Amino acid sequence: MHLSDPQPCRVIGVLDDGAASLGALALAHLRRARVVIGAPRTLALFADEIAPEARRHALQGPLAQVPEWIREAREAQLPVVLLATGDPLCHGIAGYLAARLCLSAIEVLPNVSTLQLACARLGLAWQDARILSIHAQDAGEWQPGAPPDHGLHALAQALREHDRLLVLTSPANTPDRVARLLLAEGMGEAFQLSVAECLCTPQERIHADLQPAEAADRRFADPNVLLLWRVRPRPRPTLFGLPDAHYAQRHPEKGLITKQEVRAVSLARLQLRADSRVWDIGAGSGSVGLEAARLCPRGHVWAIEKNEQDLAIARLNQRAAGLSNHTLVLGKAPEPLDAWPDPDAVFIGGSGGELDGLIRLVMARLRPGGWLVMNFVTLENLATATQTLASLALDWDVLQLQAARSKPILHMHRMAAENPVWIVSAQAPMATQERRHDA
């Protein structure tokens, strides 16, 4: 459809062996171009193929200027070419341009991806691999529990969910940094990796079958790509409803844990999706938030606990859960909540005596259609919660849950009742409302 345009911007995929990487058609377009856009290194590599009178635009600033360069060239009826590495539609600039120019304004002439080349060098089948780019702003070294805006967050999550990964690195997010992420997340013995440096140049080098502990202390020449594959089976954890004994709890005092039956119903009431953003206020042992994180592999959970002893136990459970989308902090709500993104779901297991204000804050911050779910064991907190929700003119409901578990008595069994728990649920209005915080 877009080929009907007589003079689109040709987005040409190139490799570091220069003109040898291009077919006759791509070379012809490049040689007749009067406007050429590319990274400084790429423009220098193809200098002999670019017409002396052609105007060169170096890609080293904001991408927002690129569509304007293309529009200007097309309005002046000047042939324009943009040079991009590998396949411009695989984490490349072509997708960005297609979203900002009409489809007829560009024509993509792809090349072999550098990831594809690296797999070929190693003989690694890649049809089932997960492809990622970590060309994000440098957010520093990965720390367990880092929030979603960290440049390595998507990679940390993908490592949990995939057996093979092909990674486009950057000068900041390097293979050695990724290796240290694996070690920090307890996956140092689960993966092997290979690094392909300077592909299609005389300096090309392939570092194969590296252990993360080995790669963590090495430096690799740029540009490079990273391949990772599992050498141990991927865990297949239970998503939710784990037995209470699965979680570390405070002893000899009674552990602060939402019991299995209440936890399952509370998670159901939260109406979670794969990409939900969840707050867990009064985390206790962390069980609700950790199971919510498992149910939201493309989302994130922010959890807060004010008691240092309980926080230490929740951290033990967090490490045992093997999750990268769960942030746990010490503090008393609502103090840190202002820095958290607006949630799709909120669970309150403890309020620290600030229940009325906390409910009002949560309902103001919940995204449209989001759910607040609270657990109470006292009549006083139940009354406060329902009165506050009523004063906000919200739809709410209360479910009393009282489970009884079988226990042995001599050679028989009896039923032992658990304490009753009230589960209070309320939904934010579906209509879009103006928010203090960006979604």
Side-chain angles (χ1 to χ4, degrees):
M1 178 175 65
H2 65 280
L3 295 180
S4 61
D5 190 297
Q7 189 110 291
C9 170
R10 269 77 187 206
V11 183
I12 299 175
V14 303
L15 297 171
D16 281 346
D17 52 354
S21 69
L22 299 184
L25 179 61
L27 268 175
H29 284 312
L30 177 58
R31 288 167 178 165
R32 68 180 290 269
R34 292 301 175 263
V35 177
V36 181
I37 305 166
R41 185 174 65 89
T42 306
L43 293 175
L45 183 64
F46 287 88
D48 292 342
E49 308 299 333
I50 300 173
E53 65 271 25
R55 182 175 182 181
R56 294 164 172 81
H57 289 293
L59 270 174
Q60 52 187 357
L63 284 181
Q65 60 193 333
V66 179
E68 291 306 314
W69 291 338
I70 294 173
R71 288 190 187 99
E72 290 171 4
R74 283 167 51 78
E75 287 171 2
Q77 297 186 330
L78 296 174
V80 56
V81 160
L82 188 150
L83 301 175
T85 301
D87 185 345
L89 286 167
C90 179
H91 290 287
I93 196 170
Y96 174 86
L97 295 177
R100 287 158 179 81
L101 299 167
C102 64
L103 288 177
S104 63
I106 65 170
E107 177 185 350
V108 180
L109 286 74
N111 212 314
V112 176
S113 166
T114 52
L115 295 172
Q116 197 174 349
L117 273 179
C119 288
R121 300 287 195 266
L122 289 159
L124 184 70
W126 61 281
Q127 68 269 11
D128 296 326
R130 172 78 161 90
I131 298 174
L132 295 102
S133 172
I134 49 177
H135 268 274
Q137 184 176 2
D138 183 10
E141 291 286 318
W142 175 262
Q143 300 294 331
D149 58 1
H150 193 287
L152 297 179
H153 185 272
L155 174 60
Q157 278 297 91
L159 287 164
R160 305 278 184 194
E161 300 174 26
H162 298 276
D163 294 330
R164 294 186 180 187
L165 299 98
L166 314 181
V167 184
L168 295 161
T169 60
S170 72
N173 291 322
T174 53
D176 54 293
R177 178 176 281 183
V178 173
R180 291 190 290 275
L181 179 155
L182 285 165
L183 297 176
E185 289 289 336
M187 293 185 281
E189 296 182 357
F191 281 89
Q192 282 187 344
L193 56 90
S194 291
V195 180
E197 300 176 336
C198 306
L199 287 164
C200 298
T201 74
Q203 293 76 40
E204 178 179 311
R205 188 177 179 190
I206 308 296
H207 303 269
D209 302 329
L210 298 174
Q211 301 294 327
E214 177 186 2
D217 295 325
R218 296 179 63 170
R219 295 296 180 268
F220 300 92
D222 192 63
N224 60 66
V225 295
L226 173 64
L227 314 181
L228 302 110
W229 61 93
R230 278 193 171 270
V231 293
R232 290 189 174 183
R234 183 157 29 111
R236 298 173 62 246
T238 300
L239 296 181
F240 80 108
L242 278 74
D244 299 341
H246 176 87
Y247 293 99
Q249 301 173 52
R250 191 176 356 139
H251 295 293
E253 300 174 60
K254 186 176 181 181
L256 290 178
I257 185 168
T258 302
K259 297 295 178 65
Q260 183 185 41
E261 298 83 2
V262 176
R263 194 185 327 132
V265 174
S266 297
L267 287 165
R269 288 296 181 104
L270 285 169
Q271 297 289 284
L272 301 175
R273 300 185 302 271
D275 61 352
S276 290
R277 292 184 266 188
V278 183
W279 292 0
D280 178 13
I281 299 175
S285 66
S287 61
V288 173
L290 292 170
E291 293 188 13
R294 282 230 176 96
L295 294 168
C296 307
R298 297 195 302 276
H300 198 88
V301 174
W302 287 261
I304 183 170
E305 173 53 50
K306 66 183 178 65
N307 183 285
E308 292 189 17
Q309 286 181 287
D310 291 320
L311 183 85
I313 289 169
R315 289 203 190 283
L316 289 175
N317 290 322
Q318 182 189 49
R319 284 192 289 273
L323 295 164
S324 300
N325 61 336
H326 185 274
T327 299
L328 177 63
V329 300
L330 176 67
K332 183 178 179 180
E335 292 168 7
L337 307 186
D338 192 57
W340 293 358
D342 288 354
D344 299 291
V346 177
F347 176 75
I348 296 180
S351 61
E354 307 289 341
L355 187 56
D356 177 85
L358 195 53
I359 291 172
R360 294 179 186 278
L361 181 149
V362 166
M363 297 311 300
R365 293 284 304 279
L366 265 175
R367 293 168 64 140
W371 284 89
L372 166 64
V373 175
M374 300 173 280
N375 287 178
F376 301 113
V377 295
T378 68
L379 290 166
E380 289 76 12
N381 280 341
L382 173 65
T384 299
T386 54
Q387 289 168 10
T388 302
L389 292 170
S391 72
L392 293 172
L394 294 169
D395 290 332
W396 53 270
D397 69 82
V398 179
L399 168 69
Q400 179 178 298
L401 189 63
Q402 185 169 15
R405 298 178 177 179
S406 63
K407 291 191 177 182
I409 176 170
L410 298 176
H411 61 284
M412 295 177 286
H413 291 79
R414 66 180 180 88
M415 298 303 293
E418 299 288 330
N419 289 329
V421 176
W422 289 287
I423 301 175
V424 180
S425 305
Q427 186 178 25
M430 295 297 296
T432 302
Q433 299 177 4
E434 185 176 341
R435 298 277 167 183
R436 263 190 326 116
H437 293 249
D438 292 335

